[in-house]
Amino acid sequence: GTAVSRVKLLDTMVDTFLQKLIAAGSYQRFTDCYKHFHQLQPEMTQRIYDKFVTQLQASIREEISEIKEEGNLETVLMSLDKIVEDGKKRKEPAWRPSGTPEKDLCSVLAPYFLQQRDTLRRHVQKQEAKNQELAEAVLAGRRQVEELQRQVQARQQAWQALHRERRELAAVLKEP
Amino acid sequence: FDEIIVDIATKRKQYPRKILECVIKTLKAQHE
Amino acid sequence: MSVDPMTYEAQFFGFTPQTCMFRIYIAFQDYLFEVMQAVEQVILKKMEGIPGCDITPVQIRKCTEKFLCFMKGHFDNLFGKMEQLFLQMILRIPPNILLPEDKCQEMYPYSEEEFQLLQKEIKELQEKCKVEMYTKQALLAELEEQKIVEDKLKQTLTLFDELENVGRDHGTSDFRESLVSVVQNSRKLQDIRDNVEKESKRLKIS
């Protein structure tokens, strides 16, 4: 059924412990032990016993409150209730530290390394795509340079041919 | 024995986070 | 019997449940002794006030020990049961429960081998990243160079164009033609000169 909160369980257990303890140390048992005194002072014995019971209960309850206070136990137990509630769907045993810190640390670091891997992957892909474009631009540039070099060469050859002809013609001219 | 247990348990709780902080710093520096 | 150190619980609570129970046990026991001591003190005091009371403090002490021994027996038995319940139902992390700080163990169950593989992959990717960076720099450098070369080549072509334009500006569309025409004109000039020289000789002679 519904889970009982740990704090409530704790209080119930302490109460039960006290009830049973007091039940064991009953007035009957008390007077058996302090028989003579009880015969002399029955009312006094009753009052002392009652005081014994209330004092013991008060001390133990106060101790529990102190421990709760000191360790902030109520909050801690309530947070544990929450954790257990959140995890109750899972039936099989959960992970526990292996005793080898290096081993356990792998899963702690994994998400960040996975993130880094994905970032690097994206980075590489992006850079590869960019470089692809650059490479195409370089190839186009090379073709462009070749074309220009060809054009320059053609013009240069034309001029050289012209220069040769001019020289020939000039030579012809010089003939006496 | 008890102190050892508490010491180990405390380290198990705190050290992964501390190591993680250092690792994240390293990864960031590497990235930069 | 192997002791369960309950380290996982210690990770959550910050103390071991057994220590907690031991602390509670000692405290409860102390109170039981204190209260018994107080009971005995009160009875002794009351006895002082009872005239002709033949009970001795030693007898009262024996009564106290008897009652305390009885109570202690029950106390230990009851506390043992309570401790068991505490350790089972309150100060315990159920086996199917994972603490929040260990959530990643469930979400990223990485073995050392897998983790090393992941790190290896990252290293390879980092290398690849570097290679791509260098490639990029090399390509950019070549593009830069190409720009310079292209400018130079274009300048050369422009030079040729300007040369042609010079020709054109002076009425000849094509250098070859202009050269031929220059040569023809100069040849005509030479012929004319020759003729003039012949004529002048002839005139001298006459």
Side-chain angles (χ1 to χ4, degrees):
Chain A
T2 51
V4 179
S5 83
R6 282 170 168 75
V7 173
K8 190 154 181 41
L9 261 177
L10 187 150
D11 293 339
T12 309
M13 285 182 195
V14 172
D15 289 346
T16 311
F17 168 78
L18 275 173
Q19 276 163 29
K20 290 182 183 278
L21 185 64
I22 302 302
S26 63
Y27 182 59
Q28 178 58 47
R29 181 71 66 178
F30 188 76
T31 53
D32 285 351
C33 293
Y34 290 98
K35 197 187 298 296
H36 291 181
F37 183 74
H38 175 243
Q39 281 152 3
L40 280 178
Q41 300 276 329
E43 296 80 21
M44 179 53 71
T45 310
Q46 178 66 55
R47 278 210 304 279
I48 291 171
Y49 175 77
D50 292 345
K51 188 70 182 148
F52 159 76
V53 168
T54 47
Q55 187 58 42
L56 184 62
Q57 282 178 328
S59 306
I60 283 182
R61 287 215 169 89
E62 192 187 319
E63 175 63 20
I64 287 292
S65 306
E66 259 177 44
I67 287 179
K68 278 182 185 175
E69 197 70 34
E70 199 183 292
N72 197 18
L73 210 49
E74 292 211 356
T75 312
V76 170
L77 290 176
M78 281 193 281
S79 74
L80 181 52
D81 287 341
K82 173 89 175 51
I83 292 169
V84 171
E85 182 59 25
D86 292 348
K88 71 179 179 186
K89 285 189 216 64
R90 167 200 207 107
K91 296 306 171 211
E92 69 278 1
W95 175 89
R96 284 293 181 269
S98 65
T100 314
E102 297 79 2
K103 221 162 140 190
D104 299 348
L105 212 53
C106 291
S107 298
V108 175
L109 300 177
Y112 297 85
F113 278 79
L114 286 168
Q115 203 178 2
Q116 200 214 13
R117 180 195 65 182
D118 296 346
T119 308
L120 281 169
R121 268 186 183 160
R122 275 199 306 278
H123 206 71
V124 165
Q125 276 157 15
K126 211 165 68 179
Q127 198 55 57
E128 276 173 347
K130 261 193 210 161
N131 285 351
Q132 188 55 41
E133 285 168 21
L134 282 177
E136 278 152 21
V138 162
L139 291 176
R142 283 180 187 170
R143 284 193 292 275
Q144 168 74 348
V145 164
E146 276 161 19
E147 173 55 23
L148 286 172
Q149 275 169 338
R150 214 181 43 66
Q151 285 177 26
V152 164
Q153 205 165 12
R155 303 287 285 272
Q156 200 177 348
Q157 280 163 3
W159 271 96
Q160 275 161 354
L162 205 61
H163 181 66
R164 255 196 323 281
E165 279 176 27
R166 190 179 63 73
R167 257 213 328 262
E168 282 156 21
L169 283 168
V172 165
L173 259 181
K174 273 208 187 82
E175 277 158 23
Chain B
F1 183 53
D2 184 71
E3 276 161 19
I4 292 172
I5 292 171
V6 171
D7 182 45
I8 287 174
T10 309
K11 283 177 177 158
R12 274 182 181 162
K13 188 183 190 91
Q14 293 170 357
Y15 278 31
R17 209 176 322 120
K18 288 181 182 164
I19 293 171
L20 201 51
E21 280 160 18
C22 296
V23 165
I24 289 173
K25 273 191 201 124
T26 311
L27 291 182
K28 276 212 177 98
Q30 262 180 4
H31 193 61
E32 273 150 29
Chain C
M1 179 190 92
S2 70
V3 173
D4 172 9
M6 296 184 90
T7 45
Y8 207 52
E9 282 73 11
Q11 183 178 322
F12 176 74
F13 289 109
F15 53 77
T16 53
Q18 294 93 331
T19 310
C20 180
M21 293 317 293
F22 182 65
R23 146 91 200 262
I24 294 173
Y25 174 80
I26 295 297
F28 282 16
Q29 183 181 248
D30 288 352
Y31 288 126
L32 180 61
F33 291 163
E34 277 169 24
V35 170
M36 283 314 301
Q37 211 166 17
V39 163
E40 186 180 78
Q41 290 307 315
V42 169
I43 290 175
L44 288 173
K45 204 176 281 329
K46 294 300 172 201
M47 273 171 35
E48 281 162 13
I50 301 171
C53 170
D54 60 350
I55 304 173
T56 64
V58 171
Q59 282 170 321
I60 291 299
R61 169 52 55 103
K62 280 199 175 34
C63 300
T64 306
E65 279 166 1
K66 184 178 169 196
F67 185 68
L68 179 55
C69 178
F70 176 79
M71 287 297 279
K72 185 68 170 59
H74 276 272
F75 173 92
D76 285 342
N77 177 34
L78 287 169
F79 193 91
K81 287 198 179 87
M82 183 172 76
E83 179 181 22
Q84 222 170 4
L85 287 173
F86 259 61
L87 295 182
Q88 271 168 25
M89 302 173 75
I90 296 180
L91 300 175
R92 184 160 174 270
I93 311 288
N96 65 320
I97 297 299
L98 194 62
L99 290 177
E101 65 258 30
D102 293 327
K103 268 279 173 281
C104 54
Q105 300 294 344
E106 195 173 64
M107 293 165 72
Y108 302 93
Y110 258 70
S111 68
E112 280 183 286
E113 296 72 30
E114 288 165 331
F115 191 67
Q116 272 148 24
L117 269 179
L118 176 59
Q119 285 183 304
K120 185 166 166 284
E121 190 181 352
I122 285 174
K123 208 161 266 322
E124 284 164 6
L125 280 168
Q126 280 169 341
E127 282 314 307
K128 260 183 121 182
C129 233
K130 270 188 209 147
V131 164
E132 289 304 323
M133 290 305 282
Y134 294 145
T135 308
K136 175 186 161 191
Q137 279 155 12
L139 289 169
L140 287 176
E142 175 156 351
L143 281 177
E144 208 46 47
E145 269 172 42
Q146 282 179 1
K147 225 154 103 354
I148 294 164
V149 168
E150 269 183 41
D151 289 350
K152 282 267 178 281
L153 290 169
K154 280 177 181 162
Q155 273 172 26
T156 312
L157 285 174
T158 312
L159 198 66
F160 281 124
D161 291 343
E162 279 162 11
L163 279 175
E164 311 239 329
N165 291 344
V166 161
R168 202 165 291 119
D169 291 351
H170 294 76
T172 52
S173 60
D174 179 290
F175 268 93
R176 183 193 306 283
E177 282 161 29
S178 61
L179 205 61
V180 169
S181 73
V182 161
V183 168
Q184 279 163 357
N185 290 342
S186 55
R187 192 180 285 143
K188 274 182 202 151
L189 278 174
Q190 276 179 340
D191 293 352
I192 293 165
R193 190 203 56 188
D194 291 353
N195 292 338
V196 168
E197 274 174 4
K198 273 187 205 135
E199 199 56 33
S200 64
K201 270 186 199 151
R202 195 173 60 71
L203 286 179
K204 269 186 200 151
I205 296 165
S206 57

